[in-house]
Amino acid sequence: MSDITRDWHPDVLGAGYEHRTIALGPDPDGEGEAVATLVRYTPDTGAAATEATVLYLHGFTDYFFQQHLAEHFAQRGHRFYALDLRKCGRSLRDGQTPHYVTDLALYDAELNEALRIVKEETGAPVLLVAHSTGGLIMPLWLDRLNKSAGVAASGIIGLVLNSPWFDLQGPSYYRTVGTPVINAVGRFRAMFELPGAKVSTYGDSLHQTVAGEWDYNLDWKPLAGFPVRLGWLRAIRAGHAQLQRGLDIGVPSLILRSRLTKFARKYGPAADVADVVLDVRQIQRWAGCLGDRTNIVPVDGARHDVFLSAAKPLAQAFTELDNWLDWLTEYQAKTPAADA
């Protein structure tokens, strides 16, 4: 794997944020040259980082913009990096279909390279954090990594998942009858757009131009989301099946989720206090498939991205995160084998 450049450049997030482009070569799905983008937060505080380095991964119709999350980790003594996957956010190039891949294992290339860069720069253990679809991609990668090189040998010590996508939401027939249809049609009409998938409820609840308090690039994260292509959804269902058969990610995990799901096709106040994207019961059901120690915490009043919730649930989410990170530090200290 080679970099387009080893140089870091000022990022769109402003002071303290830089990005570096990673070349991935020709896109296996035939959409030109693929790149990924690694973002880092380097606050000018003069204080040395003392904790594990964080590597963050976004979800679908998403990219890294959550500065308050990076700053929270930095205040705890963590160096912070985030990865925009190929065709996502900063990595999207002209002529490419946003977020489109036909195999989730293709992301191993940028994840492996991001991990290498982070370890090379910091020399510290690595804590992984992922949201939604990223919360499916990262455990699958960890399982493969654990089977080959071993996660502990790779310097990874823990995983935090924020509303991970472990199953296909909606009526049961979506998963029973629907999955074979997705597999069959998605094989031959991979770019077919799933009808009715673009709903702005979640985006309207987040963005400050509608009902929310957050500001981000609507070209990279449109209110109604990007189209869902059957070839991509086929890859997602293959990932779901693999996860549900059981993984061995090799490290302890924390899973944060909303306490409630409230599906709606139009924005209303309920969208501000519930997950309007995923079924939280499915997250609860499949959490044990990660392997190793798993702690799952429902957060009252949280949105789909618990770190984009209103002030009170956001504070609770950070408290739960901090408590678990303190536990992880103690666990690592008492478990020499984790560093082997």
Side-chain angles (χ1 to χ4, degrees), residues 77-235:
H78 300 266
R79 292 280 297 276
F80 185 93
Y81 292 74
L83 181 66
D84 278 12
L85 296 167
R86 66 186 69 200
K87 307 184 193 176
C88 304
R90 299 164 179 83
S91 307
L92 182 63
R93 298 295 184 263
D94 290 343
Q96 295 181 340
T97 305
H99 293 256
Y100 183 78
V101 292
T102 53
D103 186 344
L104 299 185
L106 293 175
Y107 292 133
D108 288 9
E110 51 257 62
L111 286 165
N112 289 336
E113 182 67 359
L115 179 63
R116 184 195 68 78
I117 293 170
V118 166
K119 289 169 60 180
E120 180 182 85
E121 288 201 349
T122 70
V126 178
L127 172 72
L128 303 174
V129 183
H131 170 55
S132 197
T133 306
L136 173 65
I137 294 165
M138 202 164 253
L140 294 173
W141 169 61
L142 276 178
D143 183 69
R144 289 187 288 270
L145 191 63
N146 202 32
K147 287 181 171 67
S148 57
V151 167
S154 301
I156 298 167
I157 62 169
L159 174 67
V160 177
L161 297 181
N162 165 10
S163 301
W165 192 16
F166 287 164
D167 205 351
L168 186 62
Q169 60 273 37
S172 60
Y173 65 84
Y174 284 9
R175 294 176 290 282
T176 54
V177 177
T179 296
V181 172
I182 291 167
N183 289 338
V185 180
R187 184 189 303 271
F188 300 105
R189 298 189 62 191
M191 298 302 292
F192 180 80
E193 182 179 334
L194 194 68
K198 296 179 69 174
V199 178
S200 68
T201 309
Y202 181 52
D204 291 348
S205 75
L206 293 180
H207 203 267
Q208 63 181 17
T209 59
V210 191
E213 61 267 39
W214 304 101
D215 186 23
Y216 49 83
N217 186 329
L218 291 176
D219 290 329
W220 293 346
K221 185 177 174 66
L223 294 178
F226 288 115
V228 173
R229 309 284 179 176
L230 282 186
W232 175 85
L233 189 56
R234 183 170 180 263

Side-chain angles (χ1 to χ4, degrees), residues 39-68:
V39 180
R40 70 180 181 183
Y41 178 49
T42 55
D44 186 17
T45 62
T50 58
E51 303 294 333
T53 300
V54 173
L55 177 59
Y56 173 88
L57 187 63
H58 60 83
F60 178 68
T61 302
D62 204 3
Y63 71 101
F64 172 67
F65 64 92
Q66 295 88 341
Q67 292 167 269
H68 63 297

